[in-house]
Amino acid sequence: MEKISVNKEIKVALAGNPNSGKTSIFNALTGAHQRVANFPGVTVEKRTGRRRYNGYNFQFVDLPGTYNLSAFSPDEKVARDFIINENPDLIINVIDSGSLERGLYLTMQLIEMGVDVVIDLNMWDEAKESGLEIDTQKLALLLGAPVVKTIGNRGQGIDGLLDAAVGLVENKDKGHRHPPVTYGPKLDDIVADLSQEISSCGSCRACRNPRWVAVRMLEGDKDIEGEILTHNRNRARVRSRLGQSIKHIRTTTKNDPEFALTEGRYGYVAGVVREVVKRPTSDRMQLSVYIDNLLTHRFWGYPIFLLLMWLIFQATFKIGAYPMDWINAGASWLQAEIGSLIPAGIISDLLINGVLGGVGAVAVFLPNIVILFLGIALLEDSGYMARAAFLMDRLMHYLGLHGKSFIPLLMGFGCNVPAIMATRTLESRRDRILTVMLIPMMSCSARLPVYVLFAGAFFGAHAGNAIFSLYLFGVAAAILMARLLQKTLLRTAETPFVMELPPYRWPTWKSIVIHMWERTRIYLNKMGGVILIASVILWGLGNFPVKKEFSQDYDAQIAQYSSQNTPEAKAEINRLQILKSSEKLEYSLIGRLGHATLPAVQPLGFTWEMGISIITGFVAKEVVVSTMGVLYHLGDETSTLIKTL
Amino acid sequence: MLEISGAGALRRRFLDLGLRRGEVVTMIKAAPLRDPLQVSLGYGHISIRRSEASLITVEVILDGKDIRK
């Protein structure tokens, strides 16, 4: 290879199906760390990266994973528009070697668009293990595109991809053409006629690739049709020809043109696959069937599922509680340290209670989130997630949700924050929104102290039943809400459930760590900021305006008692401090808000003390209990509070 | 498999997953609550709700306890 073209820019887009390992190829190409998916539709945003290789400056764009470029879904539209508008020098088309057929369907569409394609047969190792043999030379010949074998999650074959890309770019002028996709003689003729009408214009943008435009118009692509009918000089004839062609296809194939073409394209792909693949009966698939026999068994399926859920739940919230304690202890220690360094006053208070308290509140969820996503990553990467959806779909379908929504909802009983994070595993936006709206109805563990307080106060001996019915009530409310939302705000059609049940596989540590880190990072970036700011604002509301004059001189009295070292004196100090903070809180903005909202909560039988407690509960639900303790001048003892109420 | 009906996103999804005319499908089993079905299709398994499967007409080639897929 000549080295004259130093610093030449090569713009590459990565396209491929969801699940094809496209993200891991992107990581290997650019060195950026991302989440590796084992379930459709995870890469939604556009990611870019750079790489220098043999004197070339590569610029990579990771397109959303799609099966199709028909521009019916937002992901497909993003991918298609990028290819049309940004004109990448070439596309690396990542294909899961194990499902070559589906991957090549997208390849056909890329080739039709007239872009240069490097075909990346990814997960080569798995295909090989399962006994699949692919004749790559023949494939390259049939498609007129270089074919490279890679193992994305181990970074193998990446140089081969880059070499093939350089080769394509350097030989562009040599007319490296892909043979046209054929749809069978009848359809080919119709497409050819229409594309001739389009190209006779000779000046508009669409004329550059009339065949693709013709196909897209027949497939009912309104964007493309709109462009032709405004810019093409021959638009009147194109329009009438389009109408004739559509009718013609309908009569000859007894099918919609869109599906006639889709099936034609699939037929072509099937032909190619038949030529290049030797497929012995797959042991791995067979093994999967055996595992399925147990895991989705009529009797054992649910117990095993519930056991796994229980394990993840316990690990997240029980094991997670230990590091949470350490974080809390660490935060308190730090608060005390800073308190001793900076003279007491408004600034030290802001630092200690506002900022550090806020950071603590953010950090305290970290163990939950890391452990929960470790569990989810294991489920996804092993292939069990799809089975969980398979098992739960019947129930979730009743709520208008996909089977996968079960896990976030269940985690809601532990803590809403990680549960809402877990909705990121859902594919469709609608499902995510609906699930997020239902999660708050699940009584999280932080609400338990509040329940215990009120149930103890009002139901006495029946407290246990009262608490249990609160949980049930939450679930019932969620069901009602789901039914209601479906009929009102979220009326868009339910996502189709049909999905792949991928063969089981051993998850790799690397991919799981990347998974966890990616989710944790999102939490810190997106949620961390919000929680931190909200904590500081609430701190401000609870401390301003500063109360200077109290009904009694608490400080003097406290000072007086602190010289004595008797238990009575300590109790007295404690009592005085509570009285002081109670007055302070009542005087602050939160206290005033509590008083101001009294007319709204009074009909519920609430007092202003309860109103204030509800507001402080925004930070964390269990805070309601401690605020009430302060306001009723009782301290933290739940039992005495129960008696008072 | 003889005929596939259904519209828009669902039909495209069928094709994306390789469900199309002429393909041989094998019913594996139903989920414990009877609803989603597990079906094998050439090289892989897919899961599909009964309501979605009812849009597909099949011709029984072998055996078959459950005729309507």
Side-chain angles (χ1 to χ4, degrees), chain A residues 181-195 211 261:
Chain A
V181 179
T182 65
Y183 294 93
K186 269 189 233 154
L187 286 174
D188 280 346
D189 286 350
I190 293 169
V191 170
D193 284 350
L194 185 60
S195 64
R211 197 183 142 84
L261 286 163

Side-chain angles (χ1 to χ4, degrees), chain A residues 473-550:
Chain A
F473 182 74
V475 174
I479 294 173
L480 226 85
M481 174 104 156
R483 307 284 294 180
L484 193 77
L485 281 172
Q486 266 185 88
K487 298 217 163 69
T488 52
L489 286 172
L490 296 165
R491 282 194 14 213
T492 38
E494 201 175 330
T495 14
F497 174 75
V498 227
M499 60 168 189
E500 220 185 329
L501 292 171
Y504 290 100
R505 56 176 86 151
W506 278 113
T508 62
W509 274 111
K510 195 179 162 196
S511 134
I512 283 177
V513 167
I514 290 175
H515 252 125
M516 277 167 51
W517 164 238
E518 184 69 16
R519 295 268 172 66
T520 311
R521 204 176 51 107
I522 290 168
Y523 166 71
L524 289 175
N525 282 351
K526 295 200 173 154
M527 324 262 291
V530 176
I531 296 178
L532 181 61
I533 290 166
S535 305
V536 173
I537 289 175
L538 274 166
W539 170 83
L541 287 178
N543 282 276
F544 289 100
V546 182
K547 183 155 176 136
K548 294 257 164 56
E549 290 175 14
F550 293 91

Side-chain angles (χ1 to χ4, degrees), chain A residues 574-585:
Chain A
N574 198 13
R575 193 184 66 86
L576 287 166
Q577 265 166 350
I578 289 170
L579 281 176
K580 186 185 173 191
S581 15
S582 163
E583 267 192 48
K584 204 169 131 190
L585 190 57

Side-chain angles (χ1 to χ4, degrees), chain A residues 75-86:
Chain A
D75 282 1
E76 290 170 9
K77 198 167 157 51
V78 166
R80 189 201 65 173
D81 288 351
F82 182 87
I83 296 169
I84 295 177
N85 298 329
E86 308 275 322

Side-chain angles (χ1 to χ4, degrees), chain A residues 417-479:
Chain A
V417 175
I420 287 174
M421 288 292 299
T423 59
R424 294 186 71 89
T425 52
L426 304 178
E427 275 178 69
S428 98
R429 204 179 130 74
R430 176 193 168 277
D431 284 1
R432 275 202 296 268
I433 292 174
L434 186 53
T435 312
V436 164
M437 289 174 94
L438 297 184
I439 286 174
M441 315 266 175
M442 305 296 136
S443 301
C444 73
S445 55
R447 268 178 251 186
L448 193 58
V450 186
Y451 288 174
V452 168
L453 170 64
F454 285 99
F458 299 121
F459 295 94
H462 302 292
N465 291 337
I467 292 172
F468 186 67
S469 50
L470 274 170
Y471 275 78
L472 285 186
F473 182 74
V475 174
I479 294 173

Side-chain angles (χ1 to χ4, degrees), chain A residues 313-334:
Chain A
F313 192 92
Q314 292 295 320
T316 304
F317 298 109
K318 285 271 154 62
I319 300 179
Y322 296 104
M324 278 171 98
D325 287 345
W326 304 334
I327 290 173
N328 276 330
S332 314
W333 175 81
L334 211 63

Side-chain angles (χ1 to χ4, degrees), chain A residues 88-99:
Chain A
D89 293 305
L90 63 108
I91 288 181
I92 293 182
N93 179 200
V94 185
I95 293 176
D96 171 6
S97 308
S99 46

